[in-house]
Amino acid sequence: MKCKALIIFLAAFLLFSSNALSGNDKQEDIPRPAREVLHEAQCLMERGRTDAAIKTLEDFKKRGEKKCREGCQDRKGYHHYMVDFFLGSAKYNKGDLNSAAQNFEEAVNKKQDFAQGWLNLGTCCHQCGKMAKAAESYLRGYRSSENKDPSILYLAGAAFLAAGDSAKSVEILAELFAINPESVKPEWKETYAHALVRNEQHKEALPVLEDLAETAPENRRKGWREFLLHEYLFLEMHEKALAFAVRLTEDYPLEPKWWKTLASLHLQRKEYEQALVNLDVYANLQPLTDKEARLAADLYLAVNIPARAQGLYEAIAREKSDVAVIRNLACSWQKLQQPEKALQWVEKGLEQGEQADLMGLKANLLYSLERYREAADAFEKTAEKKHDCGRAWLMAGYSAMNAGDANRAKIALAKAAKYKCHRDAAKKLLAYLEKAAPEQ
């Protein structure tokens, strides 16, 4: 957010000084010596002799300091606020902002309702980065002026926001909109939206953001639409967020980020197939990052399209050896009814450390390949690692029984019977083994 200073100092300086030095009845009561010095300084400024104008005004003020020490009244206007104002204007034109601000501050301290002095002080402070003081000065200038220029009230509100006082900014900008509802500029709305959000008035910001999403200049409209979508999500207005994201893909069909956003929204709703459709569109618009490719692979696996998942997982696994990727790659091969290939990847994963879930997958694959003795070993290891223990001991019993090792099967099934979910199956199998023992 940037505020544009609306005061042109040199023009303001010449205009104000001409009025002040004219002979009409409305002019300020400036003592003649001060008027003569101001006129001389103005002439020097018009000829581009800014340094000479500054010296003339400063010398005049110094003469007044001596008189003041002597207790004399300031009948010649040595300390008149217009002298400080002219001096500040001259210093501003030279680029000496801090010193100019001091002179403008002296002027408004002497005349509290001096609107032009407050506005010039505000602009100096603004350009020096002193935003809190700039805001207060703009506001004092607006309140003091006969001609209430709404752009000055906007500057005050914007400066309060830049100074971190979002509550005051909201107050001032709301006043501005109430006074000038028909002449609100787009940049005013933009600043007001920022102020409301920073002041945590998110619901109040929505109508402003929705308006900006439709009416902001084209080069900024897309940004405001993204901002609005973020606010819908922040306020947990999920249906509105989804509908708006769909509209954004329709308005900007070649913009990748909207398709990615839409995929993310469907993913949050666990609508995996729709998320995958949008992610596929996104992938056709720009290459997937490793993280995005991993997400796509996970989604393909979740919606039971293992062939597409397998290709993505293998590409990832070639670049980076990640146990989770290897596990899902093995699952993909398993769903493709390729247990041998699945087992090869499981073994690669186990080389990085015997993780319980991988060991469990290995056991299931060995069992499906009728390698029962190896399967029994793997199921026992899985159970020992406290992973799905009841089922692991039950399957170890089945595997040992199919391998012809009844004693080993009984030991595993007795352990499985300790788990409620598998107790009945384990006891039935134990009973079968006990019944079958005399016949063997």
Side-chain angles (χ1 to χ4, degrees):
M1 186 275 299
K2 295 182 179 179
C3 303
K4 294 182 179 179
L6 301 181
I7 303 167
I8 303 173
F9 269 79
L10 182 56
F13 162 66
L14 293 175
L15 177 61
F16 197 102
S17 52
S18 296
N19 291 339
L21 297 178
S22 67
N24 61 47
D25 295 332
K26 294 182 180 180
Q27 71 177 56
E28 290 288 341
D29 184 17
I30 304 174
R32 185 177 184 81
R35 290 171 62 196
E36 291 175 350
V37 168
L38 293 175
H39 179 73
E40 181 183 351
Q42 179 177 323
C43 291
L44 289 168
M45 288 286 292
E46 289 172 349
R47 296 200 298 270
R49 298 181 61 191
T50 304
D51 288 336
I54 292 171
K55 186 175 186 307
T56 297
L57 292 166
E58 287 181 336
D59 288 346
F60 182 71
K61 286 190 68 174
K62 286 177 182 176
R63 290 201 298 274
E65 291 174 6
K66 181 180 178 182
K67 297 288 184 182
C68 187
R69 285 194 298 270
E70 294 172 352
C72 300
Q73 291 186 355
D74 186 16
R75 291 196 177 97
K76 295 188 177 182
Y78 295 117
H79 301 291
H80 197 278
Y81 72 91
M82 284 299 296
V83 176
D84 296 308
F85 177 74
F86 268 59
L87 187 54
S89 298
K91 289 179 178 178
Y92 177 87
N93 286 323
K94 190 181 176 183
D96 191 353
L97 300 183
N98 286 312
S99 185
Q102 291 176 6
N103 290 124
F104 290 132
E105 191 159 16
E106 289 177 24
V108 296
N109 285 339
K110 293 170 184 176
K111 185 173 175 58
Q112 294 289 311
D113 62 348
F114 183 26
Q116 189 65 48
W118 283 113
L119 298 179
N120 285 13
L121 175 60
T123 301
C124 280
C125 292
H126 186 177
Q127 293 183 8
C128 290
K130 300 173 182 177
M131 302 310 294
K133 193 166 184 177
E136 291 290 351
S137 299
Y138 284 139
L139 188 56
R140 291 288 297 271
Y142 176 80
R143 301 284 188 229
S144 302
S145 64
E146 293 181 8
N147 177 25
K148 305 295 186 186
D149 183 351
S151 64
I152 301 303
L153 194 57
Y154 165 71
L155 280 180
F160 276 118
L161 181 60
D165 192 345
S166 55
K168 188 67 174 178
S169 178
V170 168
E171 176 189 331
I172 296 299
L173 293 171
E175 177 186 346
L176 171 64
F177 290 0
I179 295 170
N180 301 274
E182 303 301 324
S183 58
V184 175
K185 298 179 180 179
E187 60 265 30
W188 297 2
K189 293 179 185 177
E190 292 177 349
T191 303
Y192 189 41
H194 281 299
L196 287 166
V197 171
R198 288 195 198 175
N199 203 44
E200 298 185 2
Q201 294 177 250
H202 297 275
K203 288 186 178 179
E204 292 83 350
L206 276 184
V208 185
L209 290 169
E210 287 171 341
D211 179 65
L212 286 167
E214 300 301 324
T215 64
E218 185 62 36
N219 62 334
R220 297 200 295 277
R221 192 175 305 164
K222 191 183 296 184
W224 285 111
R225 290 182 170 188
E226 188 168 2
F227 198 159
L228 175 59
L229 181 58
H230 176 271
E231 286 299 296
Y232 283 145
L233 293 172
F234 179 83
L235 293 169
E236 298 184 352
M237 300 171 70
H238 301 298
E239 293 300 326
K240 274 208 164 189
L242 183 62
F244 192 59
V246 169
R247 181 189 163 186
L248 290 173
T249 59
E250 294 169 351
D251 290 348
Y252 307 99
L254 298 180
E255 178 59 61
K257 67 179 176 182
W258 302 131
W259 292 101
K260 182 179 178 181
T261 299
L262 190 54
S264 177
L265 291 174
H266 282 297
L267 190 59
Q268 289 173 18
R269 295 159 64 95
K270 297 184 179 179
E271 297 169 350
Y272 299 131
E273 291 185 3
Q274 193 59 46
L276 190 54
V277 168
N278 292 297
L279 194 59
D280 271 346
V281 176
Y282 171 78
N284 286 323
L285 294 172
Q286 74 175 45
L288 296 176
T289 65
D290 290 346
K291 187 176 180 180
E292 292 164 349
R294 168 73 183 275
L295 173 61
D298 290 345
L299 286 172
Y300 278 122
L301 189 59
V303 300
N304 202 28
I305 309 179
R308 294 291 299 273
Q310 172 266 321
L312 287 168
Y313 283 134
E314 285 209 1
I316 297 169
R318 284 194 294 270
E319 297 294 325
K320 183 181 179 181
S321 183
D322 183 288
V323 172
V325 171
I326 289 173
R327 180 184 61 246
N328 287 355
L329 175 54
C331 288
S332 300
W333 280 118
Q334 185 183 30
K335 287 189 174 187
L336 288 168
Q337 300 181 1
Q338 298 278 351
E340 291 284 2
K341 288 186 176 180
L343 188 60
Q344 290 173 11
W345 281 104
V346 168
E347 295 291 5
K348 287 183 180 180
L350 289 170
E351 289 173 4
Q352 300 181 37
E354 289 193 354
Q355 296 192 30
D357 57 342
L358 271 181
M359 186 59 70
L361 180 56
K362 176 181 178 180
N364 287 321
L365 290 167
L366 289 168
Y367 190 88
S368 69
L369 290 166
E370 300 182 359
R371 292 161 60 176
Y372 296 120
R373 193 170 300 280
E374 294 174 77
D377 292 339
F379 278 123
E380 286 175 1
K381 286 183 180 180
T382 302
E384 288 165 2
K385 291 181 179 295
K386 309 297 181 184
H387 180 75
D388 198 7
C389 298
R391 180 183 180 279
W393 284 121
L394 182 66
M395 291 304 299
Y398 273 115
S399 299
M401 185 181 72
N402 285 321
D405 193 337
N407 289 332
R408 186 179 183 184
K410 290 177 183 179
I411 293 170
L413 291 169
K415 292 180 178 180
K418 295 178 182 179
Y419 296 89
K420 185 176 180 180
C421 291
H422 303 284
R423 186 174 297 154
D424 291 345
K427 284 185 175 181
K428 286 179 182 177
L429 196 54
L430 279 168
Y432 170 79
L433 289 172
E434 291 295 335
K435 185 178 178 180
E439 299 175 3
Q440 293 179 351

